[in-house]
Amino acid sequence: MSAALCAGALNKLPEEDKPAFAHSKNGMMAILLAGNIAAVALLFSAAYGFNKLDWWIPLLCVFVTFPIAHYVVIQQLFGDVKGLFVMSPLALVSLPVLYLYW
């Protein structure tokens, strides 16, 4: 979901503040696609957590631990562009892992 938040922040930037690759239509489409895939990965992982674990573990991760980790660590350390490029591959890797262990 961190990649989705970074993609949303990049999408909301004024046109002159966007990175160079985001000025083209394909660049913005890639940003939106990465954000949507990351959001789907979060939904699947939350569903897996509710199904296989206790209900409070995914609830705690999604609403308490994740926002703190994103805003305090990832956004401050990487920024929006690097955060998107670091977290998107992790979200993509999590989808087959969720499928295999579900």
Side-chain angles (χ1 to χ4, degrees), residues 34-74:
N36 288 339
I37 289 173
V40 167
L42 176 74
L43 291 174
F44 283 151
S45 62
Y48 176 81
F50 279 113
N51 190 19
K52 302 289 183 183
L53 305 171
D54 286 332
W55 63 270
W56 61 271
I57 295 171
L59 189 68
L60 178 74
C61 290
V62 170
F63 293 111
V64 177
T65 308
F66 164 71
I68 293 171
H70 172 72
Y71 289 114
V72 173
V73 178
I74 294 169

Short mmCIF file of all heavy atoms in Angstrom, two decimals, residues 34-74:
data_model
loop_
_atom_site.label_atom_id
_atom_site.label_comp_id
_atom_site.label_asym_id
_atom_site.label_seq_id
_atom_site.Cartn_x
_atom_site.Cartn_y
_atom_site.Cartn_z
N ALA A 34 0.98 0.74 -11.12
CA ALA A 34 1.74 0.28 -9.96
C ALA A 34 0.98 0.54 -8.67
O ALA A 34 0.95 -0.31 -7.77
CB ALA A 34 3.10 0.98 -9.93
N GLY A 35 0.35 1.69 -8.57
CA GLY A 35 -0.44 2.01 -7.37
C GLY A 35 -1.63 1.09 -7.21
O GLY A 35 -1.94 0.63 -6.11
N ASN A 36 -2.32 0.79 -8.29
CA ASN A 36 -3.49 -0.10 -8.22
C ASN A 36 -3.10 -1.53 -7.89
O ASN A 36 -3.79 -2.21 -7.14
CB ASN A 36 -4.28 -0.03 -9.52
CG ASN A 36 -5.01 1.27 -9.67
OD1 ASN A 36 -5.25 1.97 -8.71
ND2 ASN A 36 -5.34 1.61 -10.90
N ILE A 37 -2.00 -2.01 -8.47
CA ILE A 37 -1.54 -3.37 -8.15
C ILE A 37 -1.13 -3.46 -6.68
O ILE A 37 -1.42 -4.44 -6.01
CB ILE A 37 -0.39 -3.78 -9.08
CG1 ILE A 37 -0.94 -4.02 -10.49
CG2 ILE A 37 0.32 -5.02 -8.57
CD1 ILE A 37 0.11 -4.27 -11.54
N ALA A 38 -0.50 -2.41 -6.17
CA ALA A 38 -0.12 -2.41 -4.76
C ALA A 38 -1.35 -2.39 -3.86
O ALA A 38 -1.38 -3.04 -2.81
CB ALA A 38 0.77 -1.21 -4.46
N ALA A 39 -2.38 -1.66 -4.25
CA ALA A 39 -3.61 -1.64 -3.45
C ALA A 39 -4.31 -2.99 -3.47
O ALA A 39 -4.83 -3.45 -2.43
CB ALA A 39 -4.55 -0.56 -3.98
N VAL A 40 -4.31 -3.67 -4.61
CA VAL A 40 -4.88 -5.02 -4.69
C VAL A 40 -4.09 -5.99 -3.82
O VAL A 40 -4.67 -6.84 -3.14
CB VAL A 40 -4.95 -5.48 -6.17
CG1 VAL A 40 -5.23 -6.96 -6.28
CG2 VAL A 40 -6.00 -4.69 -6.90
N ALA A 41 -2.77 -5.85 -3.82
CA ALA A 41 -1.94 -6.71 -2.97
C ALA A 41 -2.27 -6.50 -1.50
O ALA A 41 -2.31 -7.45 -0.72
CB ALA A 41 -0.46 -6.45 -3.23
N LEU A 42 -2.52 -5.26 -1.10
CA LEU A 42 -2.90 -4.99 0.28
C LEU A 42 -4.24 -5.63 0.62
O LEU A 42 -4.41 -6.21 1.68
CB LEU A 42 -2.95 -3.50 0.56
CG LEU A 42 -3.45 -3.14 1.97
CD1 LEU A 42 -2.38 -3.45 2.97
CD2 LEU A 42 -3.89 -1.73 2.05
N LEU A 43 -5.20 -5.52 -0.29
CA LEU A 43 -6.51 -6.13 -0.04
C LEU A 43 -6.40 -7.65 0.08
O LEU A 43 -7.02 -8.25 0.96
CB LEU A 43 -7.48 -5.75 -1.16
CG LEU A 43 -7.91 -4.30 -1.20
CD1 LEU A 43 -8.76 -4.04 -2.43
CD2 LEU A 43 -8.66 -3.92 0.05
N PHE A 44 -5.62 -8.27 -0.79
CA PHE A 44 -5.45 -9.73 -0.71
C PHE A 44 -4.72 -10.13 0.57
O PHE A 44 -5.08 -11.13 1.19
CB PHE A 44 -4.69 -10.26 -1.92
CG PHE A 44 -5.53 -10.35 -3.16
CD1 PHE A 44 -4.95 -10.22 -4.40
CD2 PHE A 44 -6.90 -10.55 -3.10
CE1 PHE A 44 -5.70 -10.31 -5.55
CE2 PHE A 44 -7.67 -10.62 -4.24
CZ PHE A 44 -7.07 -10.51 -5.47
N SER A 45 -3.72 -9.37 0.97
CA SER A 45 -3.02 -9.73 2.20
C SER A 45 -3.90 -9.52 3.43
O SER A 45 -3.83 -10.29 4.38
CB SER A 45 -1.72 -8.94 2.33
OG SER A 45 -1.98 -7.56 2.40
N ALA A 46 -4.74 -8.50 3.41
CA ALA A 46 -5.67 -8.31 4.53
C ALA A 46 -6.70 -9.44 4.57
O ALA A 46 -7.04 -9.94 5.65
CB ALA A 46 -6.37 -6.96 4.42
N ALA A 47 -7.18 -9.85 3.40
CA ALA A 47 -8.13 -10.97 3.35
C ALA A 47 -7.47 -12.26 3.83
O ALA A 47 -8.08 -13.05 4.56
CB ALA A 47 -8.68 -11.14 1.94
N TYR A 48 -6.24 -12.47 3.44
CA TYR A 48 -5.49 -13.64 3.92
C TYR A 48 -5.33 -13.60 5.43
O TYR A 48 -5.51 -14.59 6.12
CB TYR A 48 -4.12 -13.70 3.25
CG TYR A 48 -3.26 -14.82 3.75
CD1 TYR A 48 -3.42 -16.11 3.26
CD2 TYR A 48 -2.28 -14.60 4.72
CE1 TYR A 48 -2.63 -17.14 3.72
CE2 TYR A 48 -1.49 -15.62 5.18
CZ TYR A 48 -1.67 -16.90 4.68
OH TYR A 48 -0.88 -17.91 5.14
N GLY A 49 -5.01 -12.43 5.94
CA GLY A 49 -4.84 -12.29 7.38
C GLY A 49 -6.13 -12.54 8.14
O GLY A 49 -6.13 -13.21 9.18
N PHE A 50 -7.24 -12.03 7.64
CA PHE A 50 -8.52 -12.28 8.30
C PHE A 50 -8.92 -13.74 8.20
O PHE A 50 -9.59 -14.26 9.09
CB PHE A 50 -9.62 -11.40 7.70
CG PHE A 50 -9.63 -10.00 8.24
CD1 PHE A 50 -9.31 -8.93 7.42
CD2 PHE A 50 -9.95 -9.74 9.56
CE1 PHE A 50 -9.30 -7.65 7.91
CE2 PHE A 50 -9.95 -8.46 10.05
CZ PHE A 50 -9.62 -7.40 9.22
N ASN A 51 -8.53 -14.41 7.12
CA ASN A 51 -8.91 -15.80 6.90
C ASN A 51 -8.05 -16.77 7.71
O ASN A 51 -8.55 -17.71 8.32
CB ASN A 51 -8.82 -16.14 5.42
CG ASN A 51 -9.42 -17.47 5.08
OD1 ASN A 51 -10.20 -18.02 5.84
ND2 ASN A 51 -9.07 -17.99 3.93
N LYS A 52 -6.74 -16.56 7.74
CA LYS A 52 -5.81 -17.52 8.33
C LYS A 52 -5.34 -17.17 9.73
O LYS A 52 -4.92 -18.04 10.48
CB LYS A 52 -4.58 -17.68 7.43
CG LYS A 52 -4.88 -18.13 6.03
CD LYS A 52 -5.32 -19.56 6.01
CE LYS A 52 -5.54 -19.99 4.56
NZ LYS A 52 -6.03 -21.32 4.46
N LEU A 53 -5.35 -15.92 10.08
CA LEU A 53 -4.84 -15.48 11.37
C LEU A 53 -5.97 -14.93 12.21
O LEU A 53 -7.12 -14.92 11.82
CB LEU A 53 -3.77 -14.40 11.16
CG LEU A 53 -2.61 -14.79 10.24
CD1 LEU A 53 -1.77 -13.57 9.95
CD2 LEU A 53 -1.77 -15.88 10.83
N ASP A 54 -5.65 -14.46 13.36
CA ASP A 54 -6.66 -13.76 14.16
C ASP A 54 -7.03 -12.45 13.47
O ASP A 54 -6.24 -11.86 12.75
CB ASP A 54 -6.11 -13.47 15.56
CG ASP A 54 -6.06 -14.72 16.42
OD1 ASP A 54 -6.89 -15.62 16.18
OD2 ASP A 54 -5.21 -14.79 17.31
N TRP A 55 -8.21 -11.96 13.74
CA TRP A 55 -8.71 -10.77 13.07
C TRP A 55 -7.93 -9.52 13.43
O TRP A 55 -7.81 -8.58 12.65
CB TRP A 55 -10.19 -10.55 13.40
CG TRP A 55 -10.42 -10.31 14.85
CD1 TRP A 55 -10.67 -11.25 15.80
CD2 TRP A 55 -10.40 -9.05 15.53
NE1 TRP A 55 -10.80 -10.66 17.03
CE2 TRP A 55 -10.65 -9.31 16.89
CE3 TRP A 55 -10.21 -7.75 15.11
CZ2 TRP A 55 -10.69 -8.30 17.82
CZ3 TRP A 55 -10.25 -6.74 16.06
CH2 TRP A 55 -10.50 -7.02 17.40
N TRP A 56 -7.35 -9.46 14.62
CA TRP A 56 -6.71 -8.24 15.07
C TRP A 56 -5.33 -8.02 14.44
O TRP A 56 -4.86 -6.89 14.37
CB TRP A 56 -6.60 -8.22 16.58
CG TRP A 56 -5.78 -9.33 17.15
CD1 TRP A 56 -6.22 -10.56 17.51
CD2 TRP A 56 -4.38 -9.31 17.42
NE1 TRP A 56 -5.18 -11.32 17.98
CE2 TRP A 56 -4.04 -10.57 17.93
CE3 TRP A 56 -3.38 -8.35 17.27
CZ2 TRP A 56 -2.73 -10.90 18.29
CZ3 TRP A 56 -2.09 -8.68 17.63
CH2 TRP A 56 -1.79 -9.94 18.14
N ILE A 57 -4.70 -9.08 13.96
CA ILE A 57 -3.36 -8.93 13.37
C ILE A 57 -3.41 -8.12 12.07
O ILE A 57 -2.69 -7.12 11.94
CB ILE A 57 -2.69 -10.30 13.17
CG1 ILE A 57 -2.44 -10.95 14.53
CG2 ILE A 57 -1.38 -10.15 12.39
CD1 ILE A 57 -1.98 -12.38 14.45
N PRO A 58 -4.26 -8.49 11.07
CA PRO A 58 -4.30 -7.63 9.87
C PRO A 58 -4.89 -6.25 10.15
O PRO A 58 -4.48 -5.27 9.52
CB PRO A 58 -5.16 -8.42 8.89
CG PRO A 58 -5.85 -9.44 9.68
CD PRO A 58 -5.05 -9.68 10.91
N LEU A 59 -5.81 -6.17 11.08
CA LEU A 59 -6.38 -4.87 11.42
C LEU A 59 -5.31 -3.95 11.99
O LEU A 59 -5.22 -2.77 11.61
CB LEU A 59 -7.52 -5.06 12.42
CG LEU A 59 -8.37 -3.85 12.72
CD1 LEU A 59 -9.18 -3.48 11.48
CD2 LEU A 59 -9.28 -4.11 13.88
N LEU A 60 -4.47 -4.47 12.86
CA LEU A 60 -3.39 -3.69 13.43
C LEU A 60 -2.38 -3.29 12.36
O LEU A 60 -1.92 -2.15 12.32
CB LEU A 60 -2.70 -4.49 14.54
CG LEU A 60 -1.51 -3.84 15.22
CD1 LEU A 60 -2.00 -2.74 16.14
CD2 LEU A 60 -0.74 -4.87 16.00
N CYS A 61 -2.04 -4.22 11.47
CA CYS A 61 -1.05 -3.93 10.43
C CYS A 61 -1.55 -2.86 9.46
O CYS A 61 -0.79 -1.99 9.06
CB CYS A 61 -0.69 -5.20 9.68
SG CYS A 61 0.25 -6.36 10.66
N VAL A 62 -2.80 -2.93 9.06
CA VAL A 62 -3.31 -2.02 8.05
C VAL A 62 -3.55 -0.62 8.62
O VAL A 62 -3.23 0.38 7.99
CB VAL A 62 -4.60 -2.58 7.41
CG1 VAL A 62 -5.28 -1.55 6.55
CG2 VAL A 62 -4.28 -3.81 6.60
N PHE A 63 -4.08 -0.53 9.81
CA PHE A 63 -4.50 0.77 10.32
C PHE A 63 -3.57 1.42 11.34
O PHE A 63 -3.70 2.60 11.62
CB PHE A 63 -5.90 0.68 10.92
CG PHE A 63 -6.95 0.39 9.90
CD1 PHE A 63 -7.59 -0.83 9.87
CD2 PHE A 63 -7.27 1.33 8.94
CE1 PHE A 63 -8.56 -1.09 8.92
CE2 PHE A 63 -8.22 1.08 7.98
CZ PHE A 63 -8.86 -0.14 7.96
N VAL A 64 -2.62 0.67 11.90
CA VAL A 64 -1.72 1.25 12.88
C VAL A 64 -0.27 1.18 12.41
O VAL A 64 0.39 2.20 12.24
CB VAL A 64 -1.89 0.56 14.26
CG1 VAL A 64 -0.91 1.12 15.25
CG2 VAL A 64 -3.31 0.73 14.76
N THR A 65 0.22 -0.01 12.19
CA THR A 65 1.63 -0.20 11.88
C THR A 65 1.98 0.36 10.50
O THR A 65 3.00 1.02 10.35
CB THR A 65 1.98 -1.69 11.92
OG1 THR A 65 1.55 -2.21 13.17
CG2 THR A 65 3.46 -1.92 11.76
N PHE A 66 1.16 0.08 9.50
CA PHE A 66 1.48 0.51 8.15
C PHE A 66 1.56 2.02 7.99
O PHE A 66 2.53 2.52 7.43
CB PHE A 66 0.50 -0.07 7.13
CG PHE A 66 0.56 0.63 5.83
CD1 PHE A 66 1.64 0.47 5.01
CD2 PHE A 66 -0.43 1.51 5.46
CE1 PHE A 66 1.73 1.16 3.82
CE2 PHE A 66 -0.35 2.19 4.29
CZ PHE A 66 0.73 2.01 3.46
N PRO A 67 0.59 2.81 8.44
CA PRO A 67 0.73 4.26 8.25
C PRO A 67 1.95 4.84 8.96
O PRO A 67 2.61 5.73 8.43
CB PRO A 67 -0.56 4.84 8.83
CG PRO A 67 -1.53 3.73 8.79
CD PRO A 67 -0.73 2.48 8.98
N ILE A 68 2.26 4.32 10.11
CA ILE A 68 3.45 4.80 10.82
C ILE A 68 4.69 4.47 10.02
O ILE A 68 5.57 5.32 9.83
CB ILE A 68 3.51 4.20 12.24
CG1 ILE A 68 2.36 4.75 13.08
CG2 ILE A 68 4.85 4.49 12.89
CD1 ILE A 68 2.19 4.07 14.42
N ALA A 69 4.79 3.24 9.52
CA ALA A 69 5.96 2.83 8.75
C ALA A 69 6.07 3.63 7.46
O ALA A 69 7.17 4.03 7.06
CB ALA A 69 5.89 1.34 8.44
N HIS A 70 4.95 3.88 6.81
CA HIS A 70 5.02 4.62 5.54
C HIS A 70 5.39 6.08 5.75
O HIS A 70 6.33 6.57 5.12
CB HIS A 70 3.68 4.54 4.79
CG HIS A 70 3.64 5.42 3.59
ND1 HIS A 70 4.35 5.13 2.45
CD2 HIS A 70 3.02 6.61 3.36
CE1 HIS A 70 4.15 6.10 1.56
NE2 HIS A 70 3.35 7.00 2.09
N TYR A 71 4.67 6.78 6.59
CA TYR A 71 4.89 8.21 6.73
C TYR A 71 6.18 8.55 7.49
O TYR A 71 6.82 9.54 7.18
CB TYR A 71 3.70 8.89 7.41
CG TYR A 71 2.50 8.94 6.52
CD1 TYR A 71 1.35 8.22 6.82
CD2 TYR A 71 2.52 9.68 5.36
CE1 TYR A 71 0.25 8.25 5.99
CE2 TYR A 71 1.41 9.72 4.51
CZ TYR A 71 0.30 9.00 4.83
OH TYR A 71 -0.79 9.02 4.00
N VAL A 72 6.55 7.73 8.45
CA VAL A 72 7.73 8.04 9.25
C VAL A 72 9.00 7.55 8.58
O VAL A 72 10.01 8.25 8.56
CB VAL A 72 7.59 7.46 10.67
CG1 VAL A 72 8.86 7.61 11.46
CG2 VAL A 72 6.44 8.12 11.38
N VAL A 73 8.97 6.34 8.00
CA VAL A 73 10.20 5.74 7.48
C VAL A 73 10.31 5.89 5.97
O VAL A 73 11.24 6.52 5.46
CB VAL A 73 10.29 4.25 7.88
CG1 VAL A 73 11.53 3.61 7.30
CG2 VAL A 73 10.29 4.11 9.39
N ILE A 74 9.37 5.33 5.24
CA ILE A 74 9.52 5.22 3.78
C ILE A 74 9.45 6.58 3.10
O ILE A 74 10.29 6.91 2.26
CB ILE A 74 8.47 4.25 3.22
CG1 ILE A 74 8.76 2.86 3.73
CG2 ILE A 74 8.45 4.27 1.70
CD1 ILE A 74 7.68 1.86 3.48
#
